[in-house]
Amino acid sequence: MREPTRRCSRCGIGLSQYNAEAVCSACSRTSTLSGIPDRAWRDERVQQALALWDFGQLVRLLRRRAGFTQSAVAALTGFSQAHISQLETGRKELGGREAIIDLLNGLGLPADLRPRLLSAFADQPRTGVSEFLDPNLPWSADRMVTSLEEAVGGPMKRRTVLATLGGTGVATYVLQSMIAPVEELQTAPAGGPRVTPPLLGSLQTTTDVLRQMDATSGSGSLLDTARRHLRFLVDLMKTGSFDQETGRQLAAVIADSANQTGWYALDGGERDEAQVLFAGSLRAAKLSGDSRLRAGALSFLAIHGYSGEDPGSAVTAARTGRQCIQDQDAPALKAMLLTREARGHAKLQDERRAMAALEEATELCDRGRGEDDPHWLYWMNAGEVLGQRASCFLELGRPAEASDAFSEARGVLSQDETRTCAQFLSRAATAQMQAGDADAGAATGHEVLSLVSGIQSARLDDHLRTMLGAARQLSSAKPLSALLERGDVLLKERAAA
């Protein structure tokens, strides 16, 4: 790309040097390189990239609209040309708040857009958003407790107070989780129940046991138990006696428990409650100081986004999660976040980015587990990446490739996790039938129907309906008539249970 012409502001002679400051050979006057023109920032796609916090796309769009090369952007921002190139291709992320500010200042972010980004879009209306979801309120223990109390305060209370965040609201919340300062943890007065490491270990074990039960039997029988467990943890934060370090460890257990409770809610069809729990978990994780738990909360927010109608927020949350842990030796956690990002891209029909994220996830999984990979991510392996690749192909309208990827993943799928296996196979059957293979689809579909007895999961029921819908598209195929008859009866039984 040809460099934009620059002329000396004193004598008008063209300047061949293109650095942050260029010196005119005729009059020796220094000409400072200006930022990206304001008109480029007003472009609709640029605004969208800014709202999604997609800095690679933002730099590429701005650079092309301004006619700048990557070297020119490097000169403006202080980053190397290689860094700019890797940022644009998604191979590198920005390293936290200061790097974000440096990049945007160097690019010449217009003054009227700075409050929108750096103050978490404070000028945007927050109509319909409950007070405890306001990202601009302090990121403190009190605010975390309040948000989670609202989420687990009983069915009637939940129905009246829960309100969801839309795409911009999620981006706002995610951004604040990165840049907002954490207030000092206030310990309760002496006399409350003493919080000790052995007690926290026991409470963490309860969360872990529930997690493993979910992979087998689904969320339906676990949600109420998990709510009570989380409520007890939140009460400990309010009334317990602990020092700063123990308080942060308690916040870590709360973050993990809130993530899992939110997952059970999402799996059970309670999307609003799930989002509030994930948002509360993000606050608890920030308070704990454990960046891996922040990444975990963001990964669940990503699932919430791509499983609904907000895939852009899935990309934003997953990318931010990777930024949280970029200095950690956690290849499995980074790979998991990349699969979440890929699902968002696939839902947005961005095949190139979805496949790039999956390729990087595969490379990370091949490295094995790192020293910083968390214990709660025991299930992440190459089979999970293959399954997510297959799901991306389904979203992209490529059922034949999805069917092949599901077949490959099946060889490494754990048969012990019955609910996970049933959900996986239901999508595999859908892919086979959409690819026109009625025999394989019927065989896999019958396997699914044999697995689902006793599993309570609204998301699994959705997958079953999708699978049977694909079967109806091929209803003239003889092998599918028995599957449809059996599946319709089973769904009626599950709805009546």
Side-chain angles (χ1 to χ4, degrees), residues 329-398:
D329 177 23
L333 183 54
K334 292 173 183 177
M336 183 269 284
L337 288 161
L338 281 161
T339 65
R340 304 289 187 251
E341 181 180 335
R343 292 293 299 274
H345 286 311
K347 196 77 176 282
L348 291 165
Q349 299 302 298
D350 189 341
E351 181 176 343
R352 182 184 66 82
R353 290 191 173 209
M355 294 300 110
L358 289 167
E359 287 300 324
E360 189 175 351
T362 300
E363 292 172 7
L364 286 165
C365 263
D366 288 345
R367 286 173 47 190
R369 297 187 67 83
E371 289 187 4
D372 298 322
D373 274 317
H375 77 282
W376 42 263
L377 198 64
Y378 63 90
W379 47 267
M380 187 65 199
N381 55 34
E384 173 69 17
V385 179
L386 284 168
Q388 295 295 347
R389 179 185 293 273
S391 293
C392 285
F393 279 134
L394 269 181
E395 294 286 1
L396 292 165
R398 295 169 58 181

Side-chain angles (χ1 to χ4, degrees), residues 433-434 436-438 442 467-485 488:
M433 288 183 281
Q434 287 182 354
D437 192 341
M467 181 185 78
L468 296 175
R472 287 189 179 87
Q473 297 296 315
L474 298 174
S475 57
S476 59
K478 197 169 185 180
L480 295 175
S481 58
L483 177 69
L484 283 168
E485 182 178 351
D488 288 339

Side-chain angles (χ1 to χ4, degrees), residues 214 217-221 267-268 419 452 454-458 460-461 494:
D214 167 65
S217 59
S219 64
S221 60
D267 190 53
R419 190 284 305 273
V452 298
I455 300 175
Q456 300 179 44
S457 167
L460 176 57
D461 289 349
R494 291 173 69 85

